[in-house]
Amino acid sequence: MSVSTFSSELEALGLTPFFRQQLLLAFSERANAPPLVAGRIVCERRGEYDVATLEGTLRATLRGRLVHELSSDERPTVGDWVLVEPADPVGRIHERLERQSVLRRVNVDGSSRSQALAANVDVCFVVCALAHDEAGHHVLGRTLNARRVERYLSLAHESSIPALVVVNKADLTSEPEASVSDFRRELPGVEVLLVSAETGHGITELRSRLVPGTTGVLLGSSGVGKSSLTNRLLERTALRTESIREDDGRGRHTTTERQLELLPSGGMIIDTPGLRELAPWANADADTGGSGFADVDELASRCRFGDCQHRDEPGCAVRAALEDGSLATARLEHARKLERERQHQLMRSDARLRSEAKKKHRALSRFVRDRVKTKRGDD
Ligand code: GDP
Ligand code: ZN
C-alpha cells in the first residue's frame, strides 16, 4: 500500500507531512504483516473509538499491548492518528502516531496525572457568552469573566496551541460591541471575536479560522453555546444540541463524549461537552516560554534587569505599569494565581518534571512565588 495514493483525502482530515512520514515508516516496517488502515479518531466512548479512514468510519478498541504500555494520557484520544486492523464489528488499534500537539488538563480524579482532552489541535476557541440586558440593565459582570477566560487561555498556552476568545450570544444585547469593550481591555493582546450562533453573526469570521485540514477545539463553560456554535459551523439544525444530552434523573447533564466533526467548509471542530473542572496541565517539557499573559511577559522583558523581581529594582516596567494603571492589579494577581497552581502541580509531579521546571523558571515565576502571601485574585 502506498501512502501517497491516499494522502489527498486524508489531508482533508488533517494529515500533514509530519504524520505522512510516520505512516510511510510504519508501513515500510510492516511489509508482510496483516494490512493496517490509517485513520483519525473522531469519537471516543468508554474505551471504544470511531476512526475515520478511507474505508469509512471503523469501530476499534485498543490492542491489549497498548493498554498495558500506554499511561492514561498517552492512550489515543479524539484527534489522534492511529493504525487500525479492521475487523467486524470492532477492529483493533495497533499504533498511535506521535502527536503534533495535545491539549491537556489535570486529571479530574485529583491525581497528579494529566488527562489528554484532544490531540493534534491547531487552534483553541475559548467560548463565553453575553447575557440579556433587560431594560438597559447590564449583567455582564456575571457572564463575561476575563479571569475565567484566562484560565482556558493558559490551558491552551501550556499546550502550545494558539487561542482566541469567542463571545457568543451577541444577539442578546442591543449594543454588543459596547458590551465587550471593557472585556477586551481586560485581555490585552488576545483576539476577541463577537458572534451569535442564533443569528449567524460573526460565524463567517469564525469559520475562516478553520481552513481545510485544520482542527479547532471549543472550550468553555456549559451553556455558553458550544454545541450551538458547532451546529452553526456544521450548517445543520439545532436539534443536535438537545440530543447529545442525557437525563439521568438527577437533572440535565452533558455527556463526556468528545467528537471531532468535519465542517462543510473543510476544517474540523472538536466540541468538549462537560468541561467543567479545569486546571491547566503544567507542561514542564514544552518550551512554551512565558506565562501565557503576553502583556505581563512583555512588560517583564522591558525591566532594566533581566532577573528583575519587580520589587524595588530601578527601571521596573511591571511596577511602573501597575502604578500608571496600564496593568490591572487583578490581571497580575490572576497571573500569579495560575502560576502558583502551576508550581503546585509541578511539585506533585515527578522529580524529573520538577527539576526541568526549575531550569525553565523565569523572573515572573520567582516574582509570583515570592508574593504567595498577597491577597488572592478572584476566580
Ligand atoms: P453548551 O453547553 O456550551 O454546548 O451550550 P448550548 O449550545 O447547549 O447552548 C446553551 C443555551 O444557549 C441553549 O438554550 C441555546 O439555545 C442558547 N444559545 C446558544 N447560542 C446562542 C446565541 O447565539 N444566542 C442566544 N440568544 N442563545 C444561544
Ligand atoms: Zn521588574
Side-chain angles (χ1 to χ4, degrees):
M1 192 191 310
S2 135
V3 178
S4 58
T5 57
F6 55 63
S7 60
S8 74
E9 271 176 82
L10 290 185
E11 270 165 22
L13 273 175
L15 188 83
T16 61
F18 176 77
F19 300 115
R20 195 179 305 117
Q21 262 166 15
Q22 295 184 63
L23 287 184
L24 281 166
L25 188 67
F27 284 125
S28 70
E29 281 170 352
R30 297 184 45 89
N32 300 312
L36 298 184
V37 177
R40 193 163 187 206
I41 295 178
V42 294
C43 186
E44 174 190 0
R45 56 184 119 58
R46 294 180 197 91
E48 193 180 299
Y49 301 92
D50 288 346
V51 184
T53 74
L54 290 182
E55 301 178 9
T57 303
L58 306 176
R59 285 169 66 195
T61 54
L62 272 193
R63 187 187 182 188
R65 219 189 67 204
L66 288 188
V67 176
H68 298 298
E69 277 179 8
L70 301 178
S71 67
S72 61
D73 77 325
E74 289 176 319
R75 280 187 203 145
T77 188
V78 169
D80 264 319
W81 282 93
V82 291
L83 292 175
V84 183
E85 181 188 344
D88 197 21
V90 182
R92 286 194 306 168
I93 293 176
H94 277 242
E95 202 176 313
R96 192 209 79 206
L97 301 192
E98 200 186 314
R99 292 161 170 165
Q100 217 151 20
S101 69
V102 57
L103 192 64
R104 286 198 171 95
R105 68 166 162 184
V106 175
N107 205 326
V108 285
D109 67 10
S111 71
S112 59
R113 289 181 176 282
S114 71
Q115 182 187 10
L117 293 174
N120 304 317
V121 173
D122 300 295
V123 57
C124 290
F125 301 111
V126 177
V127 186
C128 48
L130 287 167
H132 264 295
D133 56 350
E134 285 163 43
H137 284 297
H138 286 258
V139 285
L140 303 175
R142 253 199 352 243
T143 54
L144 286 189
N145 184 334
R147 305 286 89 83
R148 180 175 296 276
V149 164
E150 282 163 352
R151 181 173 287 275
Y152 286 101
L153 289 174
S154 102
L155 173 84
H157 182 81
E158 282 292 342
S159 306
S160 303
I161 301 170
L164 56 107
V165 173
V166 175
V167 179
N168 187 32
K169 310 197 187 182
D171 57 287
L172 288 184
T173 69
S174 43
E175 290 178 81
E177 269 305 333
S179 305
V180 293
S181 61
D182 285 348
F183 182 65
R184 282 188 202 277
R185 261 197 299 282
E186 280 188 86
L187 294 165
V190 178
E191 189 180 9
V192 178
L193 284 185
L194 191 57
V195 306
S196 167
E198 184 87 6
T199 66
H201 175 87
I203 299 297
T204 308
E205 180 66 35
L206 180 61
R207 193 180 279 126
S208 73
R209 306 310 167 97
L210 290 169
V211 298
T214 60
T215 305
V217 63
L218 296 172
L219 300 172
S221 311
S222 183
V224 294
K226 295 183 299 298
S227 309
S228 308
L229 285 170
T230 303
N231 288 334
R232 260 288 171 185
L233 290 168
L234 288 167
E235 298 167 26
R236 71 185 172 203
T237 60
L239 286 173
R240 243 338 249 288
T241 311
E242 297 307 318
S243 67
I244 61 162
R245 313 276 169 170
E246 284 172 2
D247 198 319
D248 61 0
R250 288 173 296 172
R252 212 173 80 134
H253 73 109
T254 50
T255 66
T256 52
E257 196 175 285
R258 287 184 287 278
Q259 195 140 8
L260 182 150
E261 315 230 36
L262 198 53
L263 308 183
S265 53
M268 284 152 286
I269 194 84
I270 299 175
D271 188 6
T272 56
L275 233 186
R276 276 175 240 108
E277 282 182 68
L278 185 77
W281 176 249
N283 183 358
D285 293 324
D287 190 8
T288 49
S291 62
F293 290 72
D295 55 325
V296 179
D297 290 339
E298 204 273 324
L299 284 169
S301 76
R302 284 197 271 132
C303 293
R304 185 175 307 165
F305 303 109
D307 60 349
C308 185
Q309 311 285 302
H310 320 304
R311 271 193 290 254
D312 43 22
E313 293 91 338
C316 173
V318 171
R319 243 187 29 250
L322 280 178
E323 276 157 23
D324 73 15
S326 59
L327 174 63
T329 312
R331 180 162 168 85
L332 183 63
E333 279 175 359
H334 198 236
R336 296 173 188 159
K337 181 170 190 284
L338 289 179
E339 182 61 22
R340 279 199 303 274
E341 283 180 21
R342 182 175 185 277
Q343 291 307 322
H344 178 69
Q345 187 206 317
L346 286 172
M347 298 281 280
R348 295 177 58 198
S349 295
D350 67 43
R352 181 182 58 82
L353 284 180
R354 212 156 56 222
S355 70
E356 286 190 36
K358 267 186 202 138
K359 266 185 266 158
K360 299 201 174 192
H361 249 120
R362 296 165 64 117
L364 178 66
S365 320
R366 259 175 260 129
F367 174 49
V368 164
R369 242 186 6 239
D370 291 343
R371 307 278 180 108
V372 167
K373 282 147 284 167
T374 61
K375 72 173 186 164
R376 302 190 183 290
D378 67 313
D379 189 39

